[in-house]
Amino acid sequence: MKRLIVTSDDFGAAVAVNEAVEQAHRTGILTAASLMVSGDAAADAVARAITMPKLGVGLHVVLVEGRPTLPPEQLSELVDTTGHFRTDMVRAGITIFASPTARRQLLAEVEAQFAAFAATGLPLDHVNAHKHFHLHPTIASAILRVGKRYGMKSVRAPIEPRDVLRRIEPDTRGIDVARLWALLVRRRMRAAGMTVPDQVFGLAWSGAMDAGRMRGLIDRLPKGLTEIYTHPATDDHYPAHAPGYAYRDELAALIDPLAREAISRDRIALGSFTDFA
């Protein structure tokens, strides 16, 4: 049986993202959205989510390139001079691994983000991390330790079958350097009782998941539980956008009627993480 979750990351980052999430869920194939609890438009995202009870809203843990939930002065090892998380993931990862102080601050911030999500009153559909920073074993440990107390049941492990991508676009290149870490996270999370998709698409084409690629994935969807994650927005240049991302093209892919027709034609079960947990 083919089961599919279609997710938007960065819910709450900006009103333009929230608008796209609502449009893609109400008129398209979007079934889940990952909330940045300290995003600039988090309150707007929550207000919209309350009106969409079938949208599976999860926690998008932010520990890099974003604003913390705790006061920056409590996170001296994790933030830069502006009070935002560092942008250098390698250096931040080394600090978290090597510094006991950084690990304590990490645990406190992860706790704060889970608590902030719980305060919204929304059911916790899933958990992942911005830039997939939860592949870091220390961060994965913190999320697992805290998340189980907040009802975490589903987690993303970004394991992307490149052979499927090459059947859609033969010239697709690149090596998934994080694959080993993703496999380890999947094994660890499943051992802890979490639901983890068998495969995830969105890594190679991050910010470039257009309608043709979306339909190509649906037409060649592997068996089992698949997550396709996206980055839709109604504005390609909203504040804090990622350079080069075609946000509006990703929104168009999510509301493409041919995508929904293909899902129906192939009898693919479409839902949120909670639907398949």
Side-chain angles (χ1 to χ4, degrees):
M1 183 176 180
K2 298 179 179 180
R3 298 168 294 161
L4 176 62
I5 302 163
V6 183
T7 309
S8 169
D9 281 356
D10 302 345
F11 192 34
V15 171
V17 176
N18 301 346
E19 291 172 341
V21 167
E22 182 169 6
Q23 185 178 348
H25 178 65
R26 293 190 185 278
T27 67
I29 62 172
L30 190 74
T31 58
S34 304
L35 176 67
M36 292 175 154
V37 293
S38 295
D40 289 344
D44 177 78
V46 172
R48 292 174 191 267
I50 290 171
T51 71
M52 298 182 285
K54 292 185 178 181
L55 178 69
V57 182
L59 174 60
H60 198 50
V61 177
V62 178
L63 296 165
V64 63
E65 295 183 7
R67 185 172 58 199
T69 300
L70 290 175
E73 55 269 21
Q74 297 181 24
L75 304 171
S76 58
E77 296 291 300
L78 305 181
V79 301
D80 59 22
T81 56
T82 71
H84 289 74
F85 288 118
R86 297 176 178 177
T87 58
D88 185 341
M89 290 182 66
V90 173
R91 182 180 175 186
I94 292 171
T95 300
I96 289 169
F97 180 79
S99 167
T101 300
R103 291 196 294 274
R104 287 193 296 271
Q105 293 177 1
L106 165 71
L107 193 63
E109 175 63 20
V110 170
E111 174 87 34
Q113 291 190 30
F114 271 95
F117 187 96
T120 69
L122 296 169
L124 181 61
D125 182 69
H126 61 274
V127 176
N128 53 51
H130 191 48
K131 303 291 185 179
H132 294 132
F133 213 6
H134 64 303
L135 298 186
H136 189 300
T138 307
I139 295 173
S141 294
I143 288 175
L144 188 56
R145 177 178 172 181
V146 175
K148 291 180 74 172
R149 291 191 282 104
Y150 284 90
M152 181 177 76
K153 297 179 180 178
S154 300
V155 181
R156 175 192 298 162
I159 301 167
E160 186 170 55
R162 292 301 175 98
D163 60 317
V164 176
L165 303 185
R166 293 188 180 102
R167 291 202 297 271
I168 300 168
E169 294 182 6
D171 62 345
T172 299
R173 302 186 184 279
I175 299 173
D176 185 358
V177 295
R179 183 178 178 84
L180 175 61
W181 298 109
L183 288 167
L184 291 172
V185 164
R186 183 173 71 181
R187 183 173 69 179
R188 184 177 183 183
M189 292 297 176
R190 284 181 172 174
M194 301 293 118
T195 295
V196 185
D198 299 301
Q199 52 270 325
V200 173
F201 294 101
L203 209 61
W205 295 333
S206 183
M209 186 67 72
D210 59 26
R213 287 170 168 170
M214 179 67 77
R215 291 198 301 269
L217 288 173
I218 294 170
D219 288 341
R220 296 163 182 81
L221 201 70
K223 293 181 180 179
L225 180 60
T226 300
E227 180 187 10
I228 300 176
Y229 76 90
T230 63
H231 299 87
T234 56
D235 181 356
D236 282 341
H237 300 97
Y238 68 83
H241 72 282
Y245 271 40
Y247 296 100
R248 289 184 293 182
D249 286 351
E250 298 217 359
L251 173 57
L254 293 168
I255 61 176
D256 176 15
L258 294 179
R260 181 173 288 282
E261 289 175 12
I263 290 170
S264 178
R265 178 199 66 210
D266 294 342
R267 298 182 180 179
I268 297 169
L270 182 66
S272 66
F273 282 86
T274 299
D275 293 327
F276 300 127

